[in-house]
């Protein structure tokens, strides 16, 4: 399928270039008409919409003209058509001067990661490369925030909110947690989607949660933000290091990170620095992982450790790789976050799942047919060493912020 997709894109681009030669030198207006004619012919021949034909033409031009290494990987069957489509779309959004450098890293990533994981990783890669302009671009984009009502059928409609991504994820996370709390009430038979919609409607129309079950009425939004602690204190450190990250979102402007780390209990802070200690294990003394260990396990993985899964780790169950009943310990090397679906597959099918020793949390999934898939965590646990050169006041100031 990949080889066929590559050949199709090459032929589409060749057809377009051949027909455009006829319009050379005849003005932009003629060229636009010829472009529309090409799109119409492709759509009619393939029996697809002109929009779909236009997408194929744009992808063909991007891959044949600007992303040849990605097209080569597609033609050799090393990546899928969807991977190539993501590369073409996302790299075209990046500044031209960054595309070649980003492409060098994007293709190997596409060859090793499933589509969902690859899309998130490439977005993060692009945002990190543009970290110096992220603040300015965010301030410009935030002016476009708005709410739109889309009319549906049978008396239904949709409410579309365009706002900063951090807040949108926080809203969805709160609605999900409230919906799950209500779903546990005896006699409740609504689906999770229905409950989320009902809770959102109640909150926006009535502005109160007093009528909800007690388990749901006290739930507030939570967001996990990871930021180098020195970046909060000094702009010079911020510009030299990696940008702040929010779980499930990716890089965010430093101003937003400073706001989230300002002490509000809704935001869980993970301040990364080498002077901070953390809970790594409680051995056989406790089956449930302590709260600091849970936070560390989820922070390291960022998402469910199932192949290609996009469920945020904050909504996953913490699983013992070696079962507690089989003398497994409650420690970082034996605990991983899995969504409920992947947890059930792991425990009730012939899939073999194990954490790779010394890998920093990577998990090998071996299917019943013998295929092996390795899922790596989003982050590495920081090395814990104290620099002798660090002044006592710096160490004291950093240690006071220790999250674990």
């Amino acid at each position: 399928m990949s080889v066929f997709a590559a050949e199709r894109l090459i032929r589409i681009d060749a057809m377009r270039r051949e027909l455009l030669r006829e319009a050379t030198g005849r003005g932009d207006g003629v060229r636009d008409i010829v472009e529309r004619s090409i799109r119409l012919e492709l759509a009619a021949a393939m029996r697809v919409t002109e929009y779909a034909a236009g997408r194929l033409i744009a992808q063909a031009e991007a891959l044949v003209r600007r992303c040849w290494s990605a097209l080569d990987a597609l033609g050799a069957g090393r990546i899928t058509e969807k991977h190539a489509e993501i590369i073409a779309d996302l790299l075209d959004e990046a500044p031209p001067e960054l595309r070649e450098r980003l492409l060098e890293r994007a293709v190997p990533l596409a060859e090793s990661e499933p589509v969902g994981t690859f899309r998130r990783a490439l977005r993060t890669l692009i945002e990190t490369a543009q970290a110096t302009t992220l603040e300015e671009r965010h301030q410009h984009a935030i002016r476009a925030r708005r709410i739109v009502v889309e009319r549906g059928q049978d008396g239904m409609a949709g409410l579309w909110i365009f706002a900063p991504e951090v807040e949108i994820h926080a809203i969805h996370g709160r609605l999900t947690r409230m919906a799950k709390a209500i779903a546990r009430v005896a006699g409740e038979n609504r689906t999770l989607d229905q409950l989320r919609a009902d809770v959102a409607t109640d909150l926006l129309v009535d502005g109160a949660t007093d009528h909800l079950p007690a388990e749901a009425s006290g739930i507030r939004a939570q967001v996990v933000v990871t930021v180098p602690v020195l970046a909060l204190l000094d702009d010079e450190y911020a510009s030299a290091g990696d940008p702040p990250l929010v779980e499930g979102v990716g890089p965010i402007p430093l101003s937003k990170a400073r706001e989230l780390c300002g002490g509000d209990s809704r935001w869980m802070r993970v301040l990364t620095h080498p002077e901070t200690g953390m809970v790594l294990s409680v051995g056989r003394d406790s089956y449930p992982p302590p709260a600091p260990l849970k936070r560390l396990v989820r922070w390291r993985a960022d998402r469910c450790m199932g192949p290609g899964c996009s469920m945020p780790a904050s909504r996953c169950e913490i699983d013992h790789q070696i079962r507690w009943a089989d003398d497994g310990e409650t420690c970082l090397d034996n605990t991983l976050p899995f969504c409920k679906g992947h947890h059930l597959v792991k425990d009730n099918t012939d899939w073999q799942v194990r954490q790779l020793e010394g890998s920093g949390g990577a998990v090998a999934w071996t299917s019943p047919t013998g295929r092996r898939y390795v899922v790596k965590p989003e982050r590495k646990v920081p090395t814990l060493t104290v620099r002798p050169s660090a002044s006592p006041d710096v160490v004291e100031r950093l240690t006071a912020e220790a999250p674990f």
Side-chain angles (χ1 to χ4, degrees):
M1 292 298 293
S2 295
V3 174
F4 166 76
E7 182 65 25
R8 182 178 63 177
L9 291 170
I10 291 171
R11 288 171 180 261
I12 287 174
D13 185 70
M15 179 195 77
R16 174 176 174 271
R17 286 187 292 115
E18 180 180 339
L19 293 175
L20 281 177
R21 288 193 195 103
E22 301 175 7
T24 302
R26 297 168 60 187
D28 291 338
V30 173
R31 182 184 175 91
D32 290 343
I33 294 173
V34 174
E35 289 273 19
R36 178 65 187 266
S37 172
I38 295 169
R39 191 165 66 246
L40 175 60
E41 182 170 2
L42 189 64
M46 296 182 67
R47 300 183 184 182
V48 298
T49 64
E50 287 191 47
Y51 173 80
R55 287 274 297 158
L56 281 172
I57 291 171
Q59 290 161 20
E61 182 187 15
L63 290 166
V64 174
R65 302 290 128 210
R66 299 186 293 278
C67 304
W68 178 257
S69 59
L71 183 64
D72 182 62
L74 180 65
R78 298 195 303 272
I79 66 175
T80 70
E81 184 178 8
K82 193 65 179 177
H83 285 92
E85 179 183 327
I86 292 169
I87 290 175
D89 289 346
L90 295 189
L91 289 192
D92 267 3
E93 296 175 5
E97 65 272 14
L98 295 178
R99 288 174 188 164
E100 186 174 348
R101 179 159 54 92
L102 289 168
L103 182 62
E104 291 177 358
R105 299 182 62 183
V107 173
L109 200 61
E111 293 176 354
S112 62
E113 298 292 348
V115 168
T117 306
F118 170 66
R119 181 189 286 107
R120 293 193 303 272
L122 184 55
R123 283 192 181 279
T124 300
L125 193 64
I126 293 171
E127 289 292 351
T128 301
Q130 301 181 81
T132 55
T133 62
L134 179 58
E135 184 74 45
E136 180 182 345
R137 289 184 290 113
H138 178 70
Q139 292 303 323
H140 177 75
I142 203 171
R143 300 191 191 104
R145 62 192 184 277
R146 61 193 181 278
I147 291 181
V148 177
V149 175
E150 292 185 353
R151 186 173 183 180
Q153 296 179 338
D154 303 322
M156 303 295 286
L159 183 68
W160 186 72
I161 304 175
F162 187 72
E165 192 173 10
V166 172
E167 278 79 355
I168 294 298
H169 276 264
I171 291 168
H172 187 268
R174 183 188 182 193
L175 293 175
T176 298
R177 294 174 65 214
M178 295 176 75
K180 286 183 175 180
I182 296 172
R184 291 192 289 268
V185 175
E188 181 58 64
N189 57 11
R190 287 173 290 178
T191 67
L192 197 60
D193 278 335
Q194 290 171 343
L195 285 167
R196 268 192 292 249
D198 292 346
V199 170
T201 302
D202 290 345
L203 286 173
L204 292 174
V205 173
D206 298 329
T209 60
D210 300 339
H211 62 291
L212 298 178
E215 297 86 351
S217 60
I219 291 176
R220 295 293 179 264
Q222 288 187 346
V223 171
V224 179
V225 55
T226 300
V227 54
V229 67
L230 293 179
L232 297 176
L233 307 175
D234 194 307
D235 288 336
E236 183 179 347
Y237 286 104
S239 61
D242 292 333
L245 298 171
V246 164
E247 179 188 62
V249 175
I252 60 170
L254 182 61
S255 61
K256 174 62 70 173
R258 285 173 171 162
E259 174 189 335
L260 299 183
C261 291
D264 193 321
S265 60
R266 291 178 300 171
W267 319 113
M268 185 189 100
R269 296 172 294 168
V270 181
L271 306 180
T272 60
H273 53 80
E275 286 82 9
T276 301
M278 60 188 69
V279 177
L280 297 180
S281 175
V282 292
R284 295 284 298 171
D285 294 336
S286 171
Y287 170 71
L293 179 57
K294 284 184 178 179
R295 289 201 296 269
L296 180 58
V297 169
R298 287 175 169 141
W299 171 82
R300 179 179 68 176
D302 191 63
R303 295 182 178 273
C304 167
M305 291 297 287
C309 189
S310 60
M311 179 70 72
S314 58
R315 291 162 55 190
C316 291
E317 302 169 346
I318 303 299
D319 174 63
H320 284 70
Q321 289 292 282
I322 300 175
R323 296 189 308 167
W324 179 262
D326 297 330
D327 293 330
E329 295 188 356
T330 303
C331 63
L332 183 63
D333 292 335
N334 194 44
T335 48
L336 291 165
F338 291 119
C339 68
K340 193 170 189 65
H342 282 115
H343 201 166
L344 288 170
V345 169
K346 170 188 170 291
D347 289 345
N348 297 281
T349 69
D350 291 333
W351 279 84
Q352 300 297 314
V353 183
R354 65 184 183 90
Q355 188 168 170
L356 300 177
E357 186 176 353
S359 67
V363 182
W365 288 70
T366 304
S367 73
T369 59
R371 292 178 174 84
R372 187 170 181 266
Y373 307 91
V374 175
V375 181
K376 298 178 181 178
E378 185 72 18
R379 307 181 182 95
K380 294 181 179 179
V381 174
T383 301
L384 305 179
T385 58
V386 177
R387 296 194 302 269
S389 59
S391 61
D393 62 317
V394 171
V395 174
E396 181 179 355
R397 179 172 53 175
L398 295 179
T399 307
E401 296 285 353
F404 299 109

